[in-house]
Amino acid sequence: QVQLAESGGASVQTGESLTLSCAASGYTSSAYCMGWFRQAPGKEREGVVTIDSAGATQYADSVKGRFTISRDNTKNTLSLQMNNLKPEDTAMYYCAASLPLLPCTLVAAYVGYWGQGTQVTVSS
């Protein structure tokens, strides 16, 4: 099993920045695909960004140019730098990981492990 723990969520104003962090423990591996997903009230959980074992990334169109993902395999940590936040970014953000042979895409069905989430609220 892999355990994921997010932190860094907060209530901010439009245009501000925020950094989310995820600490992984258990049977962790640098070969895992990792990423961030989010879910707003009444909506489906959607992919924000993924990063594979080689460092290749895939961002949702809604966050391109504003969010940046990074991973430190030695420390087993994952970060999400969020700039120029907008009200539509308001959601519960989840750290995620999937096994190497599964697609590393913005599809929740491929995720094998989830964190418990950290709330991000952006007010106008």
Side-chain angles (χ1 to χ4, degrees):
Q1 278 283 353
V2 173
Q3 293 82 48
L4 304 173
E6 307 96 331
S7 63
S11 180
V12 300
Q13 296 182 351
T14 298
E16 294 185 342
S17 298
L18 198 60
T19 300
L20 304 183
S21 297
C22 173
S25 61
Y27 299 107
T28 58
S29 173
S30 61
Y32 289 169
C33 164
M34 299 195 72
W36 292 91
F37 288 71
R38 66 186 182 186
Q39 187 168 23
K43 295 186 177 181
E44 296 291 322
R45 188 169 298 187
E46 64 176 357
V48 177
V49 59
T50 59
I51 181 168
D52 68 15
S53 60
T57 58
Q58 181 178 10
Y59 291 87
D61 290 339
S62 60
V63 306
K64 286 182 179 178
R66 298 189 299 120
F67 291 10
T68 303
I69 191 173
S70 63
R71 68 188 296 176
D72 187 329
N73 294 325
T74 300
K75 298 179 180 179
N76 291 321
T77 57
L78 185 74
S79 296
L80 181 65
Q81 176 65 49
M82 305 184 292
N83 296 326
N84 191 26
L85 285 163
K86 304 175 180 180
E88 51 263 43
D89 293 319
T90 295
M92 183 72 74
Y93 283 71
Y94 298 90
C95 180
S98 59
L99 298 176
L101 296 181
L102 294 175
C104 193
T105 62
L106 302 173
V107 179
Y110 294 133
V111 175
Y113 306 98
W114 296 99
Q116 292 191 319
T118 185
Q119 180 68 39
V120 173
T121 301
V122 185
S123 62
S124 60

